[in-house]
Amino acid sequence: MNYFKYANGELFCENIKVEEIAEYVGTPFYLYSMKTLKKHYTVFHEAFSPVPHIICFSVKANSNLSVLKTFFDMGGGADVVSGGELYRALKAGAPSEKIVYSGVGKTEEEIKYALGKNILFFNVESEGEIYNLDKIAYSIKKKARIALRVNPDIDPRTHSYISTGLKENKFGIRIEEAKEMYIKAKKLNNIEIVGVDCHIGSQITEIEPFIQALKKVLSLIDQVKKEGIRINFLDLGGGLGITYKDETPPYPDIYAGKIINEIKTRDLNLILEPGRAIVGNAGILVTRVLHTKKGEGKDFVIIDAAMNDLVRPSFYGSFHEIKPVKPTKRGEITADVVGPVCETGDFLAKKRKMQEVLPGELLAVMSAGAYGFTMSSNYNSRPRVPEVMVMDDRYYIIRRRETYKDLIRGEEIPEELFKL
């Protein structure tokens, strides 16, 4: 459920007209519904209520401070994959004891930062990282709590770029090697084993891959228990998909029920890392039509948003529904919806059947709350767009639109360059 609805021929976000926000903020911009964020978090949290758990929101999906604070105020934690994400999470109020740090390439500086903040644990992805963590923890007189991220070689049946649990992927330790890794880690003085982690991919729309992976991980837990290694935390990652077009992902309560059925007799604390499932349909990208033009066999709708604002269509071939903010009774066209960036790959939709539009009209690119702004860039020296949060009948700019001065902030032209 989300709170983007039509009423009286206009698109509303909760109880405010999208057009009203656009007139004040300008276009393009990202727009989030706080009610939707809270609803989705609550549904996920309540689905797992029968077992001890922490919802560690995946910060990479949407790292805006106001979005993060919404979840942390509801008792959530954070899954981070960089020092910058850790900094954001802490600034937004995440309790350090509810932060897990994932990622294959943590630097020494990032590790020291996380150890200093006493996070819950690191998800470790290689043997080398275990020894590196031990060395760094020793150097600052800390103990590093870890969970091994295991790679179960399970096909999540999703886009290859966001599949992370196959043996050819860069993530995690082969599950066949994990027991030996645990035994080695147990011998290190500055390492404390607390868990196991398994994340097989993103935008997964079937339950079976999750259950296949879980069964392998539970078998591993039983094996290491015989070696005197107790696993307290089972981190199942995220990956539950949403509906962009015609996908039919399982509801969180169905997903949770299947997971709980497998672990209900075990003394484990679950860590869940949802991202897209919570924020994906809680946000849209609002854009204005600049021009339309006729092409060979199709039309082009040229908008003021571009691939630098929402890269998913050109990067993944992803589908985002595009709706008029104020529908009309005009006929249907088939069009490429493209932006101003100087790339043929700059499109938000290809050969899309849509209502005929005119210059100046507003369009809403739906399901853009996850991996929208966080993957945006300044390509073509385009300032990044603002982010806006709606709360009932009020709205707040939670990130201002960048200016041209922002584009060159931090750059310098050394005088010596022109004396050579």
Side-chain angles (χ1 to χ4, degrees), residues 71-115:
F71 302 136
F72 302 154
D73 285 353
M74 298 177 74
D79 162 50
V80 303
V81 295
S82 71
E85 287 190 351
L86 174 57
Y87 179 81
R88 280 183 169 274
L90 292 169
K91 280 292 183 182
S96 58
E97 68 273 14
K98 291 184 178 181
I99 298 177
V100 296
Y101 197 141
S102 306
V104 300
K106 309 173 187 74
T107 67
E108 180 175 345
E109 180 182 6
E110 289 174 320
I111 290 169
K112 286 181 177 178
Y113 179 36
L115 286 169

Side-chain angles (χ1 to χ4, degrees), residues 69 119 121 137 148 151 216 270 273 308 322 367 397 407:
K69 182 172 173 55
I119 65 167
F121 58 80
L148 293 194
N151 186 322
K216 287 191 173 186
L270 271 187
E273 300 171 359
N308 73 294
I322 299 177
S367 307
I397 297 174
L407 293 176

Side-chain angles (χ1 to χ4, degrees), residues 168-411:
E168 65 260 30
N169 298 138
K170 69 178 181 179
F171 299 98
I173 295 165
R174 291 180 63 244
I175 199 161
E176 296 83 1
E177 300 172 353
K179 177 183 171 181
E180 187 63 31
M181 294 290 181
Y182 272 114
I183 293 171
K184 290 179 179 180
K186 185 183 177 184
K187 298 175 182 178
L188 300 176
N189 293 328
N190 301 283
I191 293 294
E192 179 185 355
I193 299 168
V194 298
V196 61
D197 170 51
C198 180
H199 178 72
I200 60 173
S202 186
Q203 185 53 15
I204 301 169
T205 57
E206 302 175 41
I207 292 179
E208 188 56 30
F210 290 112
I211 301 303
Q212 290 176 16
L214 176 58
K215 287 180 182 295
K216 287 191 173 186
V217 172
L218 292 176
S219 174
L220 173 64
I221 290 174
D222 292 338
Q223 292 174 47
V224 300
K225 184 179 181 180
K226 294 176 182 177
E227 303 295 331
I229 298 170
R230 174 169 170 73
I231 300 298
N232 294 313
F233 293 97
L234 171 56
D235 187 340
L236 290 179
L240 192 64
I242 65 171
T243 300
Y244 286 102
K245 186 181 181 183
D246 51 14
E247 303 92 340
T248 55
Y251 289 109
D253 59 338
I254 304 297
Y255 166 70
K258 296 286 188 180
I259 298 295
I260 292 169
N261 187 58
E262 296 291 332
I263 66 164
K264 60 187 176 184
T265 61
R266 295 173 177 266
D267 183 18
L268 290 168
N269 295 285
L270 271 187
I271 303 291
L272 291 312
E273 300 171 359
R276 187 194 316 267
I278 293 181
V279 298
N281 285 321
I284 64 175
L285 175 63
V286 182
T287 181
R288 194 177 296 276
V289 177
L290 297 176
H291 311 287
T292 62
K293 72 175 185 178
K294 295 286 185 182
E296 187 66 34
K298 64 180 175 183
D299 293 343
F300 290 92
V301 174
I302 303 162
I303 57 175
D304 60 4
M307 64 182 291
N308 73 294
D309 302 310
L310 180 62
V311 75
R312 296 188 72 255
S314 56
F315 192 51
Y316 299 118
S318 302
F319 178 96
H320 286 265
E321 189 174 5
I322 299 177
K323 294 183 175 181
V325 169
K326 296 180 74 171
T328 68
K329 294 182 179 180
R330 298 189 205 109
E332 191 178 77
I333 60 172
T334 298
D336 285 5
V337 182
V338 302
V341 160
C342 193
E343 294 279 349
T344 303
D346 177 26
F347 61 87
L348 270 62
K350 286 264 196 176
K351 298 180 180 178
R352 181 68 57 87
K353 289 184 178 180
M354 58 187 295
Q355 176 191 288
E356 183 183 359
V357 293
L358 298 176
E361 294 183 339
L362 296 169
L363 297 174
V365 184
M366 309 305 291
S367 307
Y371 306 102
F373 187 90
T374 55
M375 294 182 75
S376 65
S377 75
N378 292 124
Y379 186 48
N380 279 194
S381 288
R382 286 170 52 84
R384 286 184 295 178
V385 306
E387 295 174 285
V388 180
M389 178 85 81
V390 169
M391 298 172 60
D392 194 25
D393 60 355
R394 295 167 292 161
Y395 66 90
Y396 302 88
I397 297 174
I398 56 175
R399 183 185 175 105
R400 64 171 174 78
R401 187 183 303 279
E402 290 181 344
T403 66
Y404 289 155
K405 286 185 178 180
D406 290 327
L407 293 176
I408 60 172
R409 187 175 61 244
E411 294 185 43

Side-chain angles (χ1 to χ4, degrees), residues 4 13-14 16-18 20-35 37 62 64 66-67 70 282-286 368-369 373 385-391 393-401:
F4 294 95
C13 178
E14 299 188 17
I16 192 163
K17 296 177 182 179
V18 171
E20 179 182 330
I21 302 171
E23 292 304 319
Y24 181 79
V25 176
T27 56
F29 65 94
Y30 278 97
L31 180 62
Y32 309 121
S33 159
M34 179 173 277
K35 281 186 179 180
L37 294 173
N62 189 314
N64 184 278
S66 295
V67 172
T70 299
I284 64 175
L285 175 63
V286 182
F373 187 90
V385 306
E387 295 174 285
V388 180
M389 178 85 81
V390 169
M391 298 172 60
D393 60 355
R394 295 167 292 161
Y395 66 90
Y396 302 88
I397 297 174
I398 56 175
R399 183 185 175 105
R400 64 171 174 78
R401 187 183 303 279

